[in-house]
Amino acid sequence: MRVVCLSGGVGGAKLARGLQDALAPGELTVIGNVGDDVCALGLHVSPDLDSVLYALAGLNDEERGWGRADETWRALESAREWGGEGWFQLGDLDLGLHLVRTQSLRAGEPLSSVTARLTASAGLATSLLPATDDRLRTSVVTPAGSFPFQEWFVSRRHEDEVDAMRFEGADAAAAAPGVVEAIADATAIVVAPSNPYTSIHPILAVRAIREAVVARSVRSVAVSPLIGGRAVKGPLHRMLSRMAGGTSPAHVAACYEGLIDALVIDRSDAPAAAAVPLVVADTLMSSGDDARRLAATVLEATV
Ligand code: GDP
């Protein structure tokens, strides 16, 4: 098989790891969101790509849900003590990656090429591709004004209600090398259980990527990020209620109109009807085994 998975950070990374475990080496390509990328302490941080990279390499902290296992925070403490910005959580081990990435980007290397070197360093056979090498940044429109994604998510603790999302730079952004080819060559497309608004729509905002998915001749299957009508973590159910009018499987499916052929939903959300056929499964991934089982169900649904 040649499976392409569109993924955000935390929820997406768990399924990406399950897919990697369920497939033969080299059969998986993950296309990651870069709309959340941020500059912190002068470093280029790609939180979603890094969540996927860490999960695929088995370096992620399963309990915290983001960042690296066995992390320490001394560099950030020191930065704060010296009067530096400390709003964005960066652990010591994590910082090492951001230093390497930032140095390469400043030397003119594209993000996709840096990311390929990082996955190779981690010994991964899976390909991890940023949606674009161009600057694409998500901003969040709220009643209190518009905010860059991380300012809304981290500094304002995603407490403002969301009226709309904007993907700045998306109109001019080209898909990163290999992205459109991977989608066109795929035998299956999977949309991970990520937040559609903050993680998947910024990927699909790159016109060539959306067009490649729309033009597919293979099945595309999404996994709902809701369990019992609520996000496992984060603001998605509030966003869906306000922007889509509800939190049923139909509302999730409507986020991917024309882009999916089936939606895998959690047992707690059935029965319901939606624009695409629903596949009922246990979708909470509390362990690697859960993720592998869910990946197997998703792959079956793509046949
Ligand atoms: P972010 O970019 O780090 O916010 O990560 P994602 O968008 O990839 O993930 C956030 C979404 O993942 C939330 O809406 C959660 O509901 C969903 N999520 C997290 N863990 C799980 C899980 O185990 N199962 C399912 N179905 N969804 C999950």
Side-chain angles (χ1 to χ4, degrees):
M1 292 186 88
R2 290 181 304 279
V3 178
V4 162
C5 175
L6 308 188
S7 174
V10 174
K14 287 197 266 180
L15 185 71
R17 177 58 198 255
L19 287 167
Q20 177 177 265
D21 290 348
L23 290 163
E27 287 188 328
L28 177 64
T29 297
V30 180
I31 299 174
N33 170 39
V34 295
D36 303 2
D37 284 18
V38 65
C39 181
L41 288 166
L43 302 176
H44 182 109
V45 183
S46 296
D48 285 5
L49 293 180
D50 295 346
S51 291
V52 175
L53 175 62
Y54 291 155
L56 294 177
L59 297 169
N60 58 309
D61 187 306
E62 286 179 13
E63 234 155 75
R64 199 182 324 114
W66 55 271
R68 284 192 58 164
D70 303 318
E71 188 59 282
T72 52
W73 305 90
R74 300 202 59 196
L76 190 67
E77 279 160 27
S78 168
R80 283 185 180 135
E81 283 164 13
W82 289 109
E85 58 175 298
W87 64 279
F88 199 79
Q89 296 286 308
L90 296 170
D92 299 332
L93 296 172
D94 196 27
L95 271 166
L97 169 55
H98 307 318
L99 289 169
V100 171
R101 175 193 288 121
T102 303
Q103 183 184 29
S104 301
L105 291 175
R106 286 210 184 124
E109 191 175 350
L111 181 61
S112 55
S113 159
V114 185
T115 307
R117 283 198 297 108
L118 296 170
T119 52
S121 296
L124 297 176
T126 297
S127 300
L128 174 58
L129 306 175
T132 179
D133 281 334
D134 298 328
R135 190 183 161 82
L136 186 161
R137 291 291 176 273
T138 300
S139 68
V140 186
V141 181
T142 81
S146 287
F147 302 99
F149 178 81
Q150 296 295 356
E151 188 178 335
W152 169 73
F153 197 82
V154 178
S155 307
R156 300 178 69 88
R157 288 188 237 124
H158 47 75
E159 280 167 4
D160 310 275
E161 298 297 343
V162 180
D163 291 318
M165 308 293 290
R166 301 258 182 273
F167 307 116
E168 283 150 23
D171 286 349
V179 168
V180 169
E181 295 81 352
I183 297 170
D185 286 350
T187 55
I189 299 170
V190 174
V191 180
S194 294
N195 183 321
Y197 296 111
T198 64
S199 293
I200 304 296
H201 288 176
I203 299 175
L204 295 165
V206 178
R207 190 173 306 120
I209 299 181
R210 173 176 283 270
E211 285 173 358
V213 177
V214 168
R216 70 192 175 281
S217 54
V218 298
R219 279 172 65 76
S220 166
V221 176
V223 180
S224 171
L226 295 182
I227 297 189
R230 291 185 68 83
V232 176
K233 205 176 160 192
L236 176 59
H237 46 276
R238 286 174 36 226
M239 298 176 79
L240 268 172
S241 295
R242 190 170 169 99
M243 287 191 279
T247 59
S248 72
H251 293 104
V252 175
C255 291
Y256 300 128
E257 205 184 332
L259 299 163
I260 59 170
D261 304 298
L263 177 69
V264 178
I265 61 164
D266 193 71
R267 230 168 268 293
S268 58
D269 289 303
V276 294
L278 301 174
V279 176
V280 177
D282 293 312
T283 70
L284 183 63
M285 295 173 280
S286 304
S287 67
D289 281 346
D290 290 346
R292 240 185 321 275
R293 259 195 303 274
L294 180 56
T297 302
V298 173
L299 292 173
E300 266 168 43
T302 64
V303 178

